[in-house]
């Protein structure tokens, strides 16, 4: 047999190469195959549809290949580091670990399961502690420095979602120094872009700082941002399934808003309020943590899901053991056009059933009809007179036409009107509108026999209240972290830890009281009664009542446009009940800000037991 024939008939390795007589070369070839395969699959993630369920299999396949790649380089590290075979560098290892961290983060975005944030943090933190990217500046390769810069930016996002403020500031210092070195050494064309990243993060953190009082030692005081307990049973007394919030669409459409990348501050706050705290011990398995071996960063076999399917199996649709902890799935839409927003609403509507609800959170500029036309149908003027602005489609903006007509109608074309949501009220619909024109949604046409509710922000705030453009929306802050919102309008910037804890406890007690009042109310609309069945929606409704009560008691809030509103109308007796006023007076007195609030004469602060 000649050499060519022998080569042609020799068995191939898994990577398609003819096996070498040198086993070390085989190791290098197999690693290169796994590396290229992982990179190919990772690049394909961006092509997955943003909606639907078809992405899960691809994600799991990608993670399985990265797991094999990681374990393979662990097992054969000495051979792979030999420059005669592969020349594996520490930054190569860091890049693989960073990709795994990205996989966990993106899986969190797809599933809303906060435990995957912990997994992502584990990998990013290990990269930093083991200094995998330490020497990238020394090799004079700007591409490697960019990889390190992107790693820092992604790590900061994960820390932001986990509220790791101290760690974020440490990372910011390191990122700032790295950008300075990158600019000085390479004079790159993208240095301005990286400085914008720094600026956005700094502004984001500063806004958070402005709404976070400090103790007498200057340390930030903590307040929970996620749902921490489950207050409602899963079934009614007759065994019927209760309503569950299944899908949420969070929209950030203010032209001028505090943001980092494509996440606005208000979207960030709402996002956290729609999640339970991550845990490190669930029935689905523990998050992966590095072992004592500095190279062991993958999930241990005994901690992996029993089916061995890898990433995502713990929160798959078929995992009934984890349904009790499930968070609603979320779409985060930064500056969407009307067409994009309607697409996501329609897709979400298709995915829910009659026992599931869709939440739409809209943070946007108001859009109103600037002038009334004599030739316009009166019904159109009533139903399409304005709403919440959406981003302008650039193709539309480039079209010519009469300038006056464009100026008159373009704001209303690129606007979500109340009537635009009518088709989607065939299923349970819960909408939060935080806008300067939120009142446009007050008269939503109730056509279908399904539960529909709108919580609407004030359209203006008193001049005496600090510019809330620098802290995000005050209304959203009340719905997500009421103790911080109360401190902000009460001008509380420094307070002892003991007083803060007492006030936090009073806020929790007030939430329980309002929940009981809502449950027992005979005047409350049936839609609210049904939405109270879900933990997350229940929390928003309770905090809406508290917000309304506090603002009506605050001496600076006087005009109708200073107060939130709701559709259907919320029973006014609840926010004005003496029990609630008494509890809020306890809060105000404990904080020492009684001079800012006007209570009815019958309101008395009862001693806390």
């Amino acid at each position: 047999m000649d050499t060519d024939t022998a080569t042609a008939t020799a068995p191939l390795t898994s990577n398609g190469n003819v096996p070498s007589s040198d086993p070390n070369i085989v190791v290098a070839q197999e690693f290169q195959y796994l590396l290229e395969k992982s990179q190919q699959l990772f690049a394909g993630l961006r092509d997955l549809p943003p909606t639907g369920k078809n992405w899960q299999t691809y994600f799991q396949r990608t993670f399985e290949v990265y797991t094999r790649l990681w374990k393979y380089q662990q097992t054969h590290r000495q051979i792979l580091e030999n420059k005669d075979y592969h020349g594996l560098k520490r930054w190569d290892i860091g890049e693989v670990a960073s990709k795994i961290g990205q996989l966990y983060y993106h899986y969190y975005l797809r599933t809303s399961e906060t435990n995957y944030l912990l997994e992502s943090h584990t990998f990013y933190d290990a990269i930093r502690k083991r200094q995998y990217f330490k020497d990238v500046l020394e090799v004079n390769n700007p591409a490697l420095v960019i990889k390190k810069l992107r790693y820092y930016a992604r790590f900061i996002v994960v820390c932001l979602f986990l509220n790791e403020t101290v760690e974020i500031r440490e990372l910011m210092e390191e990122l700032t120094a790295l950008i300075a070195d990158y600019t000085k050494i390479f004079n790159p064309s993208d240095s301005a872009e990286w400085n914008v990243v720094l600026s956005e993060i700094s502004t984001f953190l500063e806004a958070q700082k402005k709404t976070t009082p400090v103790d007498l030692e200057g340390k930030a005081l903590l307040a929970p941002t996620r749902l921490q307990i489950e207050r409602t049973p899963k079934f009614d007394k007759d065994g019927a399934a209760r309503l569950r919030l299944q899908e949420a669409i969070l929209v950030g459409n203010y032209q001028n808003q505090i943001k980092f990348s494509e996440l606005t501050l208000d979207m960030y706050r709402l996002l956290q309020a729609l999640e339970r705290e991550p845990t490190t011990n669930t029935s689905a398995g523990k998050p992966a943590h590095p072992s004592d071996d500095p190279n062991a960063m993958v999930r241990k076999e005994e901690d992996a899901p029993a089916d061995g399917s890898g990433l995502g199996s713990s929160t798959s649709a078929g995992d009934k053991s984890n349904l009790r902890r499930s968070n609603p799935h979320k779409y985060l839409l930064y500056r969407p056009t009307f067409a994009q927003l309607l697409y996501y609403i329609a897709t979400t509507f298709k995915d829910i059933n009659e026992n599931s609800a869709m939440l739409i959170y809209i943070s946007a500029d108001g859009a109103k009809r600037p002038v009334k036309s004599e030739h316009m149908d009166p019904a159109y003027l009533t139903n399409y007179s304005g709403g919440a602005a959406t981003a302008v489609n650039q193709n539309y903006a480039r079209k010519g036409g009469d300038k006056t007509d464009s100026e008159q109608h373009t704001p209303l074309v690129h606007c979500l009107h109340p009537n635009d949501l009518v088709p989607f009220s065939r299923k349970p619909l819960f909408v939060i509108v935080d806008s300067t024109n939120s009142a446009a949604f007050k008269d939503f046409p109730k056509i279908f026999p399904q539960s529909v509710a709108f919580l609407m922000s004030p359209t203006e705030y008193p001049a005496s209240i600090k510019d809330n453009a620098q802290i995000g929306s005050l209304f959203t802050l009340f719905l997500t972290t009421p103790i911080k919102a109360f401190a902000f309008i009460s001008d509380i910037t420094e307070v002892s830890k003991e007083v803060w804890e007492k006030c936090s406890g009073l806020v929790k007690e007030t939430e329980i009281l309002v929940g009981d009042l809502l449950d027992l109310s005979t005047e409350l609309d049936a839609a609210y009664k049904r939405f109270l069945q879900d933990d997350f929606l229940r929390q928003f409704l309770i905090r809406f009542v508290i917000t309304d009560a506090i603002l009506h008691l605050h001496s600076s809030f006087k005009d109708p446009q200073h107060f939130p509103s709701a559709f259907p109308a919320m029973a006014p007796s609840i926010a004005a009940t003496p029990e609630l006023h008494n509890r809020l007076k306890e809060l105000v007195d404990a904080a020492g800000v009684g001079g800012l609030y006007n209570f009815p004469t019958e309101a008395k602060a009862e001693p806390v037991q």
Side-chain angles (χ1 to χ4, degrees):
M1 182 181 298
D2 58 35
T3 305
D4 291 341
T5 304
T7 302
T9 59
L12 301 179
T13 60
S14 62
N15 58 29
N17 293 326
V18 176
S20 169
S21 57
D22 187 344
N24 293 343
I25 293 178
V26 174
V27 167
Q29 290 176 340
E30 182 67 15
F31 176 78
Q32 186 63 31
Y33 165 75
L34 290 173
L35 182 63
E36 292 175 359
K37 186 67 175 177
S38 66
Q39 292 171 342
Q40 177 188 5
L41 289 169
F42 194 91
L45 293 174
R46 66 173 64 95
D47 298 325
L48 294 177
T51 61
K53 306 288 184 182
N54 296 330
W55 53 270
Q56 290 178 325
T57 301
Y58 189 94
F59 249 94
Q60 291 178 5
R61 182 183 173 201
T62 304
F63 193 79
E64 287 168 2
V65 171
Y66 269 98
T67 300
R68 287 175 57 198
L69 174 66
W70 187 263
K71 291 182 177 179
Y72 198 84
Q73 64 82 23
Q74 282 181 289
T75 304
H76 304 286
R77 175 75 60 83
Q78 188 173 0
I79 297 172
L80 294 172
E81 288 178 340
N82 190 322
K83 61 182 181 180
D84 292 334
Y85 298 110
H86 186 86
L88 186 70
K89 304 294 185 183
R90 287 191 65 77
W91 57 74
D92 295 324
I93 302 168
E95 185 178 0
V96 175
S98 181
K99 286 288 196 297
I100 297 174
Q102 288 181 64
L103 278 174
Y104 275 124
Y105 171 69
H106 285 291
Y107 205 79
Y108 153 73
L109 292 180
R110 293 271 186 172
T111 63
S112 297
E113 173 49 62
T114 47
N115 280 0
Y116 289 116
L117 279 175
L118 294 178
E119 302 266 15
S120 181
H121 182 275
T122 294
F123 279 81
Y124 285 142
D125 184 54
I127 292 169
R128 180 175 175 230
K129 288 179 177 177
R130 292 160 195 168
Q131 299 183 322
Y132 283 128
F133 289 119
K134 179 183 178 182
D135 301 325
V136 294
L137 283 170
E138 298 177 7
V139 296
N140 201 35
N141 186 337
L144 287 177
V145 181
I146 290 174
K147 289 180 180 180
K148 185 173 182 179
L149 289 169
R150 289 174 177 169
Y151 152 73
Y152 269 112
R154 290 165 181 145
F155 193 8
I156 288 172
V157 170
V158 170
C159 289
L160 193 66
F161 284 162
L162 290 173
N163 299 307
E164 298 286 353
T165 307
V166 174
E167 191 168 15
I168 291 174
R169 298 196 182 281
E170 293 175 357
L171 292 171
M172 280 288 291
E173 291 178 4
E174 295 173 19
L175 178 59
T176 301
L178 181 61
I179 291 175
D181 290 339
Y182 174 60
T183 303
K184 180 179 179 181
I185 296 172
F186 301 105
N187 191 25
S189 59
D190 62 348
S191 59
E193 297 174 17
W194 282 108
N195 281 301
V196 168
V197 170
L198 280 179
S199 176
E200 286 188 349
I201 300 172
S202 298
T203 303
F204 203 102
L205 295 176
E206 187 61 27
Q208 290 282 71
K209 185 178 179 180
K210 288 178 180 178
T211 59
T212 305
V214 296
D215 62 19
L216 302 182
E217 297 179 354
K219 296 179 181 179
L221 293 163
L222 301 178
T225 57
R226 289 186 169 94
L227 184 73
Q228 294 189 307
I229 59 173
E230 296 181 4
R231 300 182 175 93
T232 58
K234 289 180 65 177
F235 300 96
D236 276 323
K237 292 179 180 178
D238 60 2
R242 291 197 163 206
L243 185 80
R244 182 175 71 91
L245 178 60
Q246 180 179 329
E247 299 282 341
I249 300 173
L250 310 186
V251 179
N253 239 330
Y254 273 105
Q255 279 194 326
N256 299 315
Q257 53 192 336
I258 298 169
K259 71 179 186 72
F260 173 36
S261 184
E262 295 191 346
L263 180 72
T264 72
L265 181 58
D266 293 330
M267 290 167 63
Y268 163 75
R269 287 170 175 164
L270 240 292
L271 176 148
Q272 295 217 319
L274 289 170
E275 295 175 346
R276 293 173 172 86
E277 287 288 358
T279 63
T280 56
N281 186 16
T282 69
S283 58
K286 301 176 183 178
H289 291 280
S291 68
D292 293 335
D293 177 359
N295 297 322
M297 291 174 57
V298 294
R299 183 192 295 272
K300 295 180 181 179
E301 291 293 332
E302 62 269 23
D303 289 340
D307 61 2
S309 55
L311 181 67
S313 59
S314 62
T315 53
S316 64
D319 187 357
K320 298 181 180 179
S321 65
N322 207 37
L323 285 178
R324 190 62 175 157
R325 288 203 70 256
S326 61
N327 298 320
H329 172 255
K330 300 178 289 292
Y331 291 114
L332 309 179
L333 306 183
Y334 173 71
R335 303 280 293 151
T337 64
F338 173 77
Q340 290 169 333
L341 177 56
L342 205 64
Y343 167 78
Y344 278 91
I345 293 175
T347 301
T348 301
F349 176 82
K350 180 186 69 173
D351 290 339
I352 65 173
N353 57 46
E354 292 187 354
N355 287 321
S356 299
M358 168 170 58
L359 179 146
I360 303 175
Y361 168 77
I362 304 170
S363 171
D365 294 300
K368 298 180 181 180
R369 180 176 298 284
V371 294
K372 291 186 177 181
S373 171
E374 297 178 358
H375 307 291
M376 193 66 68
D377 186 335
Y380 183 90
L381 289 174
T382 300
N383 298 326
Y384 291 93
S385 60
T390 58
V392 177
N393 186 307
Q394 294 304 312
N395 291 330
Y396 183 95
R398 281 194 290 267
K399 292 181 180 179
D402 185 84
K403 183 177 181 181
T404 303
D405 182 72
S406 174
E407 289 176 350
Q408 178 176 341
H409 297 293
T410 295
L412 296 179
V413 171
H414 303 287
C415 163
L416 182 72
H417 297 266
N419 276 29
D420 292 327
L421 295 176
V422 169
F424 308 106
S425 63
R426 290 173 169 86
K427 295 178 182 179
L429 177 65
F430 193 99
V431 184
I432 300 173
V433 185
D434 196 333
S435 171
T436 53
N437 192 31
S438 60
F441 294 82
K442 274 186 178 180
D443 300 316
F444 183 78
K446 185 75 164 60
I447 296 175
F448 303 106
Q450 270 293 2
S451 300
V452 176
F454 286 76
L455 303 183
M456 293 159 279
S457 70
T459 55
E460 294 181 14
Y461 290 99
S464 60
I465 300 299
K466 296 176 184 177
D467 183 11
N468 68 333
Q470 301 301 314
I471 57 108
S473 164
L474 182 61
F475 180 64
T476 296
L477 187 62
F478 260 112
L479 293 182
T480 55
T481 321
I483 182 65
K484 285 189 175 183
F486 166 74
F488 182 78
I489 65 171
S490 302
D491 201 23
I492 299 172
T493 57
E494 183 182 74
V495 66
S496 71
K497 186 177 180 180
E498 292 74 21
V499 170
W500 181 257
E501 290 177 350
K502 182 178 181 180
C503 290
S504 298
L506 287 169
V507 169
K508 290 180 182 178
E509 292 177 14
T510 305
E511 289 183 345
I512 294 172
L513 171 64
V514 172
D516 292 339
L517 291 173
L518 291 172
D519 288 335
L520 297 173
S521 174
T522 58
E523 303 175 10
L524 196 64
D525 190 277
Y528 293 126
K529 289 286 189 180
R530 192 166 188 218
F531 287 130
L532 283 168
Q533 295 175 356
D534 178 81
D535 292 332
F536 298 102
L537 300 182
R538 180 183 183 86
Q539 183 166 264
F540 286 138
L541 289 171
I542 288 171
R543 290 175 174 176
F544 177 85
V545 172
I546 294 174
T547 303
D548 188 45
I550 289 178
L551 296 188
H552 272 90
L553 294 169
H554 196 289
S555 57
S556 294
F557 291 76
K558 301 174 181 178
D559 300 329
Q561 62 268 29
H562 293 165
F563 304 111
S565 55
F567 172 86
M570 189 77 72
S573 59
I574 296 176
T577 184
E579 295 94 331
L580 177 55
H581 281 181
N582 289 340
R583 190 55 53 85
L584 291 177
K585 193 169 191 320
E586 290 181 48
L587 172 63
V588 167
D589 289 347
V593 292
L596 296 175
Y597 294 86
N598 299 318
F599 285 88
T601 54
E602 67 272 14
K604 298 179 181 179
E606 300 176 359
V608 180
Q609 301 296 323

